[in-house]
Amino acid sequence: MPKDAPVDPRGPRFSAWITAAILAVVLLTGSWRLLAAQTLLFGLCAFISLKLNPWGHVYRFALQPRLTPTSEREEAAPLRFAQGVGFVFALVGTIGYATGLTALGVVATSAALVAALLNAALGLCLGCEMFLLLRRYAPVLARPQ
């Protein structure tokens, strides 16, 4: 897995707002196709590179130049792990909606929405916290030798 450079933490929060909006639309419409698109986006960011997130590009080119510069940076590994967690929830939700198991789709999408809203509104990235806990309690698995 290639290593992404550290990122401005405001970018992932902006992306979380967009993600939350998409997930809310999915809950309102039950559109498994829209959730499948979000699942694909989570997968690209988790398994290939955060640079593939279109909302990150919008942030970097449209918003970041208008904001006060910051030297604060966040490591990419926890963010990519969080995208992987989002991928799992969105995949389960997509399968639920697409196969007629609407309750499964609603529950999985709702869980992803809560996580996105916590990140967007409070800066609390649940997937990032999971990554750090795993690294602390399973240091051999999380750190290259």
Side-chain angles (χ1 to χ4, degrees):
M1 194 174 352
K3 182 173 175 155
D4 286 319
V7 299
D8 177 343
R10 300 172 297 184
R13 285 185 77 178
F14 172 76
S15 293
W17 279 116
I18 304 296
T19 300
I22 291 167
L23 295 171
V25 170
V26 169
L27 286 171
L28 291 171
T29 64
S31 172
W32 69 266
R33 289 174 180 85
L34 180 58
L35 188 54
Q38 181 61 52
T39 304
L40 177 63
L41 182 55
F42 279 139
L44 290 171
C45 293
F47 306 120
I48 300 175
S49 174
L50 292 173
K51 293 177 184 174
L52 297 175
N53 187 335
W55 316 127
H57 291 289
V58 171
Y59 172 78
R60 278 190 301 284
F61 297 113
L63 295 176
Q64 192 176 33
R66 293 171 171 77
L67 298 173
T68 305
T70 181
S71 60
E72 185 180 353
R73 292 292 177 258
E74 224 172 55
E75 285 300 317
L79 295 170
R80 288 184 65 172
F81 182 84
Q83 293 292 301
V85 173
F87 171 79
V88 170
F89 278 97
L91 181 61
V92 170
T94 300
I95 291 168
Y97 280 117
T99 61
L101 298 171
T102 306
L104 178 63
V106 168
V107 169
T109 304
S110 296
L113 176 59
V114 167
L117 286 171
L118 284 172
N119 190 2
L122 303 176
L124 176 60
C125 175
L126 294 179
C128 299
E129 295 299 324
M130 286 173 57
F131 176 87
L132 295 174
L133 281 172
L134 284 172
R135 195 161 92 180
R136 175 179 291 164
Y137 294 111
V140 175
L141 298 174
R143 293 190 186 116
Q145 299 292 329

